[in-house]
Amino acid sequence: MTILDGKLLSENIKSELAAEVDQIRSRGGKIPHLAAVLIGENPASQVYVQSKIRSCEQVGFKSTLIQKDADTSEAELLEIVHQLNEDPDVDGFIVQLPLPKHIDEERITLAIDHRKDVDGFHPVNFGRMAQGLPAYLPATPFGIVEILRRYNIETAGKHCVVVGRSNIVGTPISILLSRKGYPGDCTVTLTHSRTRDLPGEVRRADIVVAAIGIPEFIKGDWVKEGAVVIDVGINRVPDATKKSGSRLAGDVAFDEVAPRSSHITPVPGGVGLMTVAALMVNTLKACKKEIYP
Ligand code: NAD
């Protein structure tokens, strides 16, 4: 069994990006600039945004963090989005989700200029991705595809079962893996909370992608011997043996599933770090106007 090391891969990607930023700097070109907007005090969101800002520093990007109270109005946030859309120095930006209940996430996503939508959440980017046109790929599915590519995992003709159909993970990864080319050409089954006999569906998978949000939901005897397992879940669970009283767990029961799988991503140290690296790749593409010349 091989651990798919998201930490190592994300460090490799960041080194590649840093080398390119050095070249850009030496020829006097524009340094990529990512802005992040964080509304409220959600502790997980704070950790994610900090890790994005830190990654910008590591690769030599410019970054701007805009932090506002949880009682920020939708109109105020829309004004921030408009300013970032108009700011010629900002190549790409993200509005960290989830947003407080009184703000309509869809309205905010739609207000972001799709040419700066480095999270790949805007329907223009989603639609272009679905049609195989150049687009910012949503960061988590992009990170998963890079794991498969960088470990040379064969995908053509494989049966991939995706568990969870969210707009940011399950649905887009099912589209990417069914597209023509590598990594892709899979036969994909997209499963969800209304699927009948989920264990039976997962058992038929050569590649399992778990994006559910329930800790250790996928059990050992659900997984075929030799399957490739990608665990997207990031769940905090109580753990009295830890000083903090808790630990992170994936959506896969790692101890049971790992011995049966050929390759598996750990949590932490798997998909999460690749998501941040993918965001950095999208920001460089934005700066180079690679997707939207
Ligand atoms: P979501 O809540 O938007 O979607 C969950 C999906 O799981 C839904 O489509 C639902 O149908 C399905 N589901 C729920 N209960 C089910 C059940 N009993 N059986 C089958 N399917 C069921 O979640 P999301 O945003 O896709 O996130 C999923 C997990 O991935 C979470 O743990 C989240 O924290 C994590 N996540 C990690 C990253 C990363 O960078 N690694 C990025 C995004 C999300």
Side-chain angles (χ1 to χ4, degrees):
M1 183 265 301
T2 304
I3 297 281
L4 298 168
D5 188 343
K7 186 167 185 334
L8 176 74
L9 293 189
S10 64
E11 292 302 332
N12 291 347
I13 292 171
K14 285 194 268 186
S15 302
E16 292 158 19
L17 291 171
E20 193 159 346
V21 172
D22 281 345
Q23 281 183 7
I24 293 173
R25 187 173 285 112
S26 64
R27 60 169 190 266
K30 183 182 180 309
I31 300 298
H33 181 181
L34 175 73
V37 184
L38 176 61
I39 307 292
E41 282 89 38
N42 179 324
S45 293
Q46 284 177 336
V47 171
Y48 295 148
V49 167
Q50 284 308 332
S51 128
K52 291 166 188 175
I53 298 291
R54 208 169 40 245
S55 292
C56 282
E57 286 160 10
Q58 282 172 352
V59 300
F61 290 0
K62 192 171 162 188
S63 64
T64 301
L65 173 58
I66 300 170
Q67 241 175 318
K68 297 282 175 194
D69 295 339
D71 60 4
T72 301
S73 70
E74 186 176 285
E76 285 171 293
L77 178 53
L78 281 170
E79 181 51 33
I80 294 170
V81 168
H82 290 312
Q83 281 172 10
L84 292 170
N85 282 342
E86 297 303 319
D87 186 337
D89 194 59
V90 172
D91 298 299
F93 66 97
I94 61 153
V95 177
Q96 184 67 42
L97 302 181
L99 290 169
K101 293 263 175 294
H102 64 277
I103 300 179
D104 181 347
E105 284 185 358
E106 194 184 332
R107 192 166 296 151
I108 301 302
T109 303
L110 284 171
I112 295 172
D113 183 337
H114 64 273
R115 291 165 300 184
K116 294 192 177 190
D117 166 43
V118 284
D119 254 342
F121 292 168
H122 193 286
V124 169
N125 282 309
F126 198 98
R128 291 174 63 100
M129 171 202 69
Q131 293 191 340
L133 298 170
Y136 296 117
L137 300 183
T140 302
F142 186 9
I144 295 171
V145 160
E146 277 306 301
I147 293 175
L148 297 172
R149 187 200 313 278
R150 286 173 185 249
Y151 274 90
N152 291 314
I153 290 174
E154 208 183 307
T155 56
K158 299 289 182 189
H159 185 195
C160 173
V161 174
V162 177
V163 190
R165 59 179 158 189
S166 72
N167 285 341
I168 62 167
V169 190
T171 296
I173 191 64
S174 72
I175 293 170
L176 287 175
L177 290 178
S178 58
R179 276 190 342 189
K180 203 171 172 58
Y182 181 76
D185 286 327
C186 288
T187 304
V188 176
T189 302
L190 179 55
T191 66
H192 44 75
S193 52
R194 306 297 292 271
T195 295
R196 284 192 204 148
D197 188 19
L198 187 62
E201 295 293 344
V202 175
R203 256 177 227 123
R204 293 193 294 123
D206 304 307
I207 302 172
V208 181
V209 179
I212 312 146
I214 305 177
E216 299 171 350
F217 184 71
I218 306 278
K219 308 295 179 213
D221 64 355
W222 296 22
V223 175
K224 182 164 83 177
E225 285 286 341
V228 175
V229 179
I230 307 289
D231 188 355
V232 182
I234 302 180
N235 310 291
R236 194 155 280 287
V237 295
D239 185 340
T241 68
K242 299 279 183 251
K243 225 165 83 184
S244 62
S246 68
R247 67 180 165 92
L248 289 183
D251 288 347
V252 171
F254 185 89
D255 292 346
E256 295 175 17
V257 172
R260 300 172 70 92
S261 54
S262 67
H263 300 75
I264 186 166
T265 59
V267 178
V271 176
L273 295 168
M274 290 300 285
T275 296
V276 181
L279 178 68
M280 299 297 121
V281 174
N282 278 346
T283 303
L284 180 65
K285 284 181 199 262
C287 179
K288 288 161 66 182
K289 304 208 181 319
E290 221 175 274
I291 308 285
Y292 298 107

